[in-house]
Amino acid sequence: MYRDIRNESLFADAHERSMTYIDEVFDRNVYPTEEALSSLRIFDEDFPDAPTEASGVIDLLGRYGAPATVAQLGGRYFGFVNGSVTPVGLAAKEMATFWDQNTAMHVLSPFASRLESVVEGWLNEIFGLPDGTVAGFVSGTSLASFSGLAAGRYRLLERLGWDINTRGLFEAPRLRVVTGDHAHATVHKAVAMLGLGADAVERVPVDSEGRLIASALPPLDDHTLLVLQAGNVNSGSFDPFADVCEAAREAGAWIHIDGAFGMWAAATERLAHLTRGIELADSWAVDGHKTLNTPYDSGIVLCRDSEALSMALHASGSYLVLGEDRNSMFFTPEMSRRSRIIELWATLKYLGRSGVDEMVNGLHERAAQFADEVGAVPGFSVLNDVVFNQVMVRCDTDELTSSTLSRIQDLRECWVGGASWNGRRIIRVSVCSWATTPDDVSRSVASFAQALDDVVGGHAIAG
Ligand SMILES: *Cc1c(COP(=O)(O)O)cnc(C)c1O
């Protein structure tokens, strides 16, 4: 049964289904149909007493799972900020799946450890970060921000004469967190997980594009974690790093940048101006699985202060085998971890400098096209300056915006989500898939127009 790993027909079947999936995913309904969703009932069963044939398990996934997936791989998914995958990234991940490497320590996987060192150097070059910056490969920006801020918490307290590792947070000098009013929810989550408390957060007012207003910063000091943003999750705007980082450094603050999707602007000639000044920070969080289009899950924490990061994420035990080589677990909260570096390395190796530039710039161009085309449809207006890959759209009233959004989702020709912006409802468009073609954009805008027509004409209620 489970001993027969070389089960050729099983893998052939799974592979065949995966290829069929790819054949269909670029053209099918982006969101699963109601029928596909209600068929998921098949999975609601008690834990089976007896084994199931392996082929039957894969059949269940293929038959009921695949149609119920959201077509994020394709070119008309514009929800949240979600990338697609390149063929080489997916193929590399498939090989890595077979190798099943644990990357906690060098001794566990010298190969993965080597690739991590190589990619760490590449990322420093791509983003223009200081020499000696180290990288930890985590599940996403949530954990990357947690790790970067943990390093900051360690270092600020250490400078204040307090060793958090032995003395803990109770009675420790109080730290402040200063961040823009539009900081991502995961920044606040990290602050909570780090025990700093929401009361420690000082929110700085933002301008009409969601950028922190430099002149509105409170005085910073050596108790401060300053969190800036490269890529506002709604508008795509960037905080004014160059205007605030130097003074923040002089004040002794720790600067962390949430650059989940926006950091990649640094990899392009045309958009790099948006990230000017990021090299002055102490830690950075960025995703591979958004703008770079690596498979999930791929997040990276980068930290100028290698010692602070590893002290913050320290683990020890007599059975651990440590040497001079890179031991990844000192740069991540986890110990055992899959080798997500393999698909990240493969994607970067495949694209090279010019390929990354082209991919990231392409997302910007499609976003600009989306804004131009949707802005030309009567009844829609574009609210933001499309500096990167995000477009904010609204109709004449909040009610119309909400019902049009819901009709767009029902039509399933594309998928977008909503949010509120300065108290008004908006439709968010995030162009984050390399697979989005100019035609995908036009098709999606046509679906927006159709949805608005349906709503105004009263046809949407039955839909
Ligand atoms: C997506 C996103 C995050 C969270 O990243 P995950 O990879 O989902 O953990 C944080 N900040 C910003 C600006 C984001 O867009």
Short mmCIF file of all heavy atoms in Angstrom, two decimals, residues 81 139-143 184 186 229-233 258 260-261 287 289-290, ligand 1:
data_model
loop_
_atom_site.label_atom_id
_atom_site.label_comp_id
_atom_site.label_asym_id
_atom_site.label_seq_id
_atom_site.Cartn_x
_atom_site.Cartn_y
_atom_site.Cartn_z
N VAL A 81 -4.16 40.60 -3.71
CA VAL A 81 -2.96 40.81 -4.53
C VAL A 81 -2.37 39.40 -4.68
O VAL A 81 -1.62 38.94 -3.84
CB VAL A 81 -1.93 41.75 -3.85
CG1 VAL A 81 -0.78 42.04 -4.80
CG2 VAL A 81 -2.58 43.05 -3.41
N SER A 139 6.66 31.76 4.95
CA SER A 139 5.46 31.44 4.16
C SER A 139 4.88 32.64 3.44
O SER A 139 4.19 32.49 2.44
CB SER A 139 4.40 30.84 5.08
OG SER A 139 4.12 31.76 6.12
N GLY A 140 5.14 33.85 3.93
CA GLY A 140 4.57 35.03 3.30
C GLY A 140 4.99 36.27 4.05
O GLY A 140 5.76 36.19 5.03
N THR A 141 4.47 37.41 3.63
CA THR A 141 4.85 38.67 4.24
C THR A 141 4.36 38.76 5.69
O THR A 141 4.98 39.41 6.51
CB THR A 141 4.36 39.85 3.38
OG1 THR A 141 5.17 39.88 2.21
CG2 THR A 141 4.46 41.17 4.09
N SER A 142 3.25 38.10 6.01
CA SER A 142 2.79 38.13 7.41
C SER A 142 3.92 37.68 8.34
O SER A 142 4.25 38.36 9.31
CB SER A 142 1.62 37.17 7.62
OG SER A 142 0.55 37.48 6.78
N LEU A 143 4.49 36.54 8.02
CA LEU A 143 5.54 36.00 8.87
C LEU A 143 6.85 36.76 8.70
O LEU A 143 7.65 36.86 9.63
CB LEU A 143 5.74 34.50 8.58
CG LEU A 143 5.99 33.67 9.83
CD1 LEU A 143 4.91 33.87 10.86
CD2 LEU A 143 6.15 32.21 9.49
N HIS A 184 -0.84 47.72 6.56
CA HIS A 184 -1.58 46.48 6.29
C HIS A 184 -1.96 45.79 7.60
O HIS A 184 -1.23 45.89 8.60
CB HIS A 184 -0.69 45.56 5.46
CG HIS A 184 -1.42 44.43 4.80
ND1 HIS A 184 -1.54 43.19 5.38
CD2 HIS A 184 -2.06 44.36 3.62
CE1 HIS A 184 -2.22 42.39 4.57
NE2 HIS A 184 -2.55 43.08 3.49
N THR A 186 -1.66 42.91 8.52
CA THR A 186 -0.66 41.96 9.03
C THR A 186 0.41 42.65 9.87
O THR A 186 1.07 42.00 10.68
CB THR A 186 0.00 41.18 7.88
OG1 THR A 186 0.49 42.12 6.91
CG2 THR A 186 -1.00 40.26 7.20
N GLN A 229 5.65 51.38 4.18
CA GLN A 229 4.97 50.50 3.23
C GLN A 229 5.41 50.77 1.79
O GLN A 229 5.38 51.90 1.33
CB GLN A 229 3.47 50.77 3.39
CG GLN A 229 2.57 49.94 2.52
CD GLN A 229 1.14 49.99 3.04
OE1 GLN A 229 0.68 49.10 3.75
NE2 GLN A 229 0.42 51.04 2.68
N ALA A 230 5.79 49.69 1.10
CA ALA A 230 6.09 49.79 -0.34
C ALA A 230 4.95 49.06 -1.05
O ALA A 230 4.97 47.84 -1.19
CB ALA A 230 7.43 49.15 -0.67
N GLY A 231 3.93 49.80 -1.44
CA GLY A 231 2.77 49.17 -2.09
C GLY A 231 1.57 49.15 -1.17
O GLY A 231 1.40 48.21 -0.37
N ASN A 232 0.75 50.18 -1.24
CA ASN A 232 -0.52 50.22 -0.49
C ASN A 232 -1.46 49.17 -1.09
O ASN A 232 -1.62 49.10 -2.30
CB ASN A 232 -1.12 51.63 -0.61
CG ASN A 232 -2.43 51.79 0.13
OD1 ASN A 232 -3.42 51.14 -0.21
ND2 ASN A 232 -2.46 52.65 1.12
N VAL A 233 -2.07 48.37 -0.24
CA VAL A 233 -2.82 47.21 -0.72
C VAL A 233 -4.02 47.61 -1.60
O VAL A 233 -4.50 46.82 -2.41
CB VAL A 233 -3.24 46.32 0.47
CG1 VAL A 233 -4.46 46.87 1.18
CG2 VAL A 233 -3.43 44.88 0.03
N ASP A 258 7.21 47.06 4.91
CA ASP A 258 6.30 46.04 4.38
C ASP A 258 6.23 46.29 2.87
O ASP A 258 5.56 47.20 2.40
CB ASP A 258 4.91 46.20 5.02
CG ASP A 258 3.85 45.30 4.35
OD1 ASP A 258 4.20 44.55 3.42
OD2 ASP A 258 2.68 45.37 4.76
N ALA A 260 5.41 43.80 0.56
CA ALA A 260 4.87 42.52 0.10
C ALA A 260 4.89 42.37 -1.42
O ALA A 260 5.46 41.43 -1.96
CB ALA A 260 3.46 42.34 0.64
N PHE A 261 4.26 43.32 -2.10
CA PHE A 261 4.28 43.22 -3.56
C PHE A 261 5.05 44.37 -4.21
O PHE A 261 5.61 44.23 -5.28
CB PHE A 261 2.85 43.15 -4.12
CG PHE A 261 2.00 44.38 -3.86
CD1 PHE A 261 1.91 45.39 -4.80
CD2 PHE A 261 1.31 44.53 -2.66
CE1 PHE A 261 1.15 46.52 -4.56
CE2 PHE A 261 0.54 45.66 -2.42
CZ PHE A 261 0.45 46.66 -3.37
N ASP A 287 7.08 39.35 -0.73
CA ASP A 287 6.57 38.06 -1.18
C ASP A 287 7.14 37.68 -2.54
O ASP A 287 7.34 38.54 -3.40
CB ASP A 287 5.03 38.12 -1.32
CG ASP A 287 4.31 37.86 -0.02
OD1 ASP A 287 4.82 37.08 0.81
OD2 ASP A 287 3.24 38.44 0.19
N HIS A 289 5.27 35.14 -3.95
CA HIS A 289 4.03 34.63 -4.56
C HIS A 289 3.08 35.71 -5.06
O HIS A 289 2.00 35.40 -5.56
CB HIS A 289 3.30 33.67 -3.60
CG HIS A 289 2.98 34.22 -2.23
ND1 HIS A 289 3.23 33.51 -1.10
CD2 HIS A 289 2.43 35.37 -1.82
CE1 HIS A 289 2.84 34.21 -0.03
NE2 HIS A 289 2.35 35.35 -0.46
N LYS A 290 3.45 36.98 -4.94
CA LYS A 290 2.62 38.03 -5.54
C LYS A 290 3.28 38.47 -6.85
O LYS A 290 3.20 37.76 -7.84
CB LYS A 290 2.43 39.19 -4.56
CG LYS A 290 1.56 38.78 -3.36
CD LYS A 290 1.42 39.89 -2.34
CE LYS A 290 0.46 39.44 -1.22
NZ LYS A 290 0.45 40.40 -0.11
C1 LIG B 1 -0.39 40.51 0.91
C2 LIG B 1 0.15 41.55 1.80
C3 LIG B 1 0.59 41.22 3.09
C4 LIG B 1 0.44 39.82 3.66
O1 LIG B 1 1.26 38.94 2.94
P1 LIG B 1 1.02 37.36 2.98
O2 LIG B 1 2.00 36.85 1.98
O3 LIG B 1 -0.40 37.13 2.59
O4 LIG B 1 1.31 36.90 4.36
C5 LIG B 1 1.15 42.23 3.86
N1 LIG B 1 1.26 43.48 3.38
C6 LIG B 1 0.85 43.84 2.16
C7 LIG B 1 1.01 45.26 1.69
C8 LIG B 1 0.27 42.87 1.32
O5 LIG B 1 -0.14 43.20 0.10
#
